[in-house]
Amino acid sequence: RDGEEEYDNDFGLDLVDDPNKRKGGDRAKQAEQAKVREVRDFQRVSLVQSRCAMCLDSANRPRHLTVALGTAAYLALPHNKRLFPGHCWIVPMQHCGGTRKADETFWDEMRNFKKCLIRMFAQQGKEMIFLETSVQQQNPARHTVVECFPVDKEAAEDAPIFFKKALVECESEWATHAAKACIDTTAKGLRGTVPEDFPYVNVEFGLSGGYVHVIDEEEKFNVNMARDVLIGICDLPAERAHQRNKQANPAVQQREMNDFLKQWEPYDWTKQLV
């Protein structure tokens, strides 16, 4: 009986054996570990983005090549791999892996930049082609740009045929989205055609629509594919397809920037923001 009383009155065992208390402790530990991981991931992403050459506030952004600033997008000359005079970029100010993920303000301002570029180069008898390749969107180092190319009318007429053929053939016929290898975006645009988190290559001919290809095998996809097609259409030297990421001479960059600014000034919609 004494032994039974000993166990009856041993409240310490209740504490040890209570499964609810044990589970509560596990949950608290898991929550703490999750918080540590979140902080570590945030610090890692912040470090990568602080080194980004495209983010507006980054110390690594080549400010001397910025043509015009909106509130969510800016226009700039490429700091590397510029194909020819007039080649420029529309860039989200905030870190963004694809314009499909960007907000409405960015889309409005991107359209403004496109309209102004179209009018500007129309005075030179040229038409605009806009390209974007969005891959590895979860990679914190990826910051998308929309490349803008003024081309002569002959190249502009040939472009839809060549791009459609290239987009249809760029991946295996056994790919998941092979049946939709080249989707016309004239009716719905990019946002109405491709889900937000899908990787894609998008080409637009002025503001009249274009084609988008949903990428299946990102690790195998040639991210320069659309650019290579443009090089062929414009009869540029084949070695342009293998340009290194080397920046041009600062004096050359400044001369190109001055020439572009003179052309851009009469069409600069961002002056309305001042």
Side-chain angles (χ1 to χ4, degrees):
R1 178 61 185 165
D2 291 342
E4 291 176 359
E5 289 177 352
E6 179 181 350
Y7 284 107
D8 287 343
N9 296 318
D10 193 344
F11 299 107
L13 288 177
D14 292 339
L15 295 175
V16 172
D17 294 339
D18 188 337
N20 292 325
K21 290 186 172 62
R22 187 166 59 248
K23 288 179 180 178
D26 290 343
R27 283 196 295 269
K29 184 176 181 180
Q30 291 170 358
E32 182 64 27
Q33 291 174 339
K35 185 176 180 180
V36 170
R37 284 195 299 271
E38 287 178 7
V39 170
R40 186 168 58 242
D41 290 344
F42 175 79
Q43 291 173 336
R44 179 176 61 86
V45 171
S46 297
L47 178 61
V48 171
Q49 293 183 3
S50 70
R51 298 171 177 171
C52 177
M54 305 297 179
C55 287
L56 184 69
D57 297 328
S58 172
N60 291 334
R61 181 171 67 86
R63 286 166 169 72
H64 64 292
L65 295 178
T66 301
V67 175
L69 292 169
T71 62
Y74 68 89
L75 184 69
L77 299 190
H79 54 266
N80 56 34
K81 293 189 174 183
R82 194 177 187 209
L83 287 184
F84 45 71
H87 177 191
C88 54
W89 288 346
I90 300 172
V91 191
M93 289 184 176
Q94 299 301 316
H95 204 76
C96 178
T99 61
R100 181 63 186 81
K101 290 176 173 286
D103 63 21
E104 195 67 33
T105 303
F106 168 80
W107 276 82
D108 288 342
E109 294 190 355
M110 176 170 65
R111 186 173 178 84
N112 287 342
F113 278 123
K114 287 180 177 180
K115 287 192 293 187
C116 291
L117 289 170
I118 288 170
R119 289 199 294 266
M120 174 176 132
F121 285 107
Q123 295 299 312
Q124 303 175 27
K126 295 182 178 181
E127 298 183 18
M128 294 300 302
I129 294 177
F130 303 104
L131 302 179
E132 182 194 10
T133 300
S134 177
V135 294
Q136 300 176 354
Q137 296 179 10
Q138 305 308 315
N139 184 340
R142 299 290 298 185
H143 191 138
T144 196
V145 301
V146 176
E147 296 197 79
C148 314
F149 299 96
V151 300
D152 61 40
K153 290 188 179 296
E154 183 179 352
E157 290 174 359
D158 292 341
I161 298 172
F162 283 97
F163 273 106
K164 184 174 184 178
K165 183 176 186 295
L167 292 174
V168 168
E169 298 175 352
C170 65
E171 290 193 273
S172 167
E173 62 179 306
W174 307 112
T176 304
H177 299 97
K180 297 182 178 180
C182 182
I183 308 172
D184 192 318
T185 58
T186 303
K188 297 182 179 180
L190 176 64
R191 290 186 290 179
T193 305
V194 177
E196 187 172 302
D197 294 321
F198 279 39
Y200 58 85
V201 54
N202 185 48
V203 54
E204 296 179 0
F205 313 110
L207 293 176
S208 59
Y211 300 119
V212 64
H213 168 75
V214 176
I215 299 170
D216 274 295
E217 300 175 302
E218 290 184 78
E219 68 281 357
K220 297 180 181 179
F221 190 78
N222 174 17
V223 295
N224 293 315
M225 184 275 293
R227 180 188 175 93
D228 293 348
V229 173
L230 187 81
I231 288 172
I233 293 171
C234 296
D235 293 324
L236 297 176
E239 56 267 24
R240 291 288 184 90
H242 307 290
Q243 280 180 298
R244 296 181 179 180
N245 287 327
K246 184 179 179 181
Q247 293 198 25
N249 180 284
V252 173
Q253 287 185 338
Q254 192 59 56
R255 184 169 64 250
E256 292 177 343
M257 185 65 172
N258 291 340
D259 290 343
F260 194 97
L261 286 172
K262 289 177 184 176
Q263 300 173 62
W264 171 254
E265 198 277 334
Y267 305 94
D268 185 5
W269 71 270
T270 64
K271 289 187 290 186
Q272 303 171 19
L273 302 174
V274 178

